[in-house]
Structure formats: structure tokens, C-alpha cells
């Protein structure tokens, strides 16, 4: 797993994906504080098992975050 802290637009808290070698890459928004990024990190980690069973990440993200 690889984690990157980067300046992203405020509406993007974080994102993750798997590279061609199957390594999970998590990108956290550097504009958020440490506590918020920890929460975002845990959220992105929770997607790991789901992504192994689906290729449509946009649809998955929609249903996982739907309130």
C-alpha cells in the first residue's frame, strides 16, 4: 500500500485505487487536518475488499456514500 498527501480541491477528501501491480494507492487531501485525514484514510481502506469484486468504482462509491 502507498499513501500520498496532495493538495486537492476541497470537495475531494480522498481517493484510492489499485495500480497495475495490485498495490492500493490512497491519496489524502493535504488541505484537511490530521484527524480528518485519519477518518478519510480508514474510509478508503474499507473499499479494499469491495474493489476486488467490482470494476465499476464510481457506482460502488455512489452506493457506499449514499445517505
Amino acid at each position: 500500500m502507498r499513501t500520498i498527501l496532495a493538495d486537492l480541491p476541497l470537495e475531494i477528501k480522498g481517493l484510492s485505487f489499485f495500480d497495475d501491480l495490485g498495490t492500493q494507492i490512497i491519496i489524502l487531501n493535504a488541505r484537511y487536518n490530521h484527524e480528518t485525514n485519519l477518518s478519510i484514510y480508514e474510509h478508503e481502506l474499507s473499499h479494499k475488499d469491495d474493489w476486488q469484486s467490482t470494476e465499476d468504482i464510481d457506482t460502488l462509491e455512489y452506493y457506499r456514500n449514499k445517505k
Side-chain angles (χ1 to χ4, degrees), residues 1-6 23-28 37 41 45:
M1 178 186 325
R2 182 173 175 206
T3 305
I4 300 168
L5 193 61
T23 302
Q24 186 176 13
I25 310 294
I26 296 176
I27 302 175
L28 301 173
N37 272 326
Y41 182 78
L45 280 177

Side-chain angles (χ1 to χ4, degrees), residues 11 13 17 19-21 23 27-28 31 37-38 45 50-52 56 60 67:
E11 59 271 6
K13 292 182 178 180
F17 58 93
D19 67 11
D20 293 340
L21 300 175
T23 302
I27 302 175
L28 301 173
R31 297 172 191 253
N37 272 326
L38 281 176
L45 280 177
D50 295 332
W51 288 347
Q52 293 174 357
D56 191 352
L60 174 64
K67 294 184 180 190

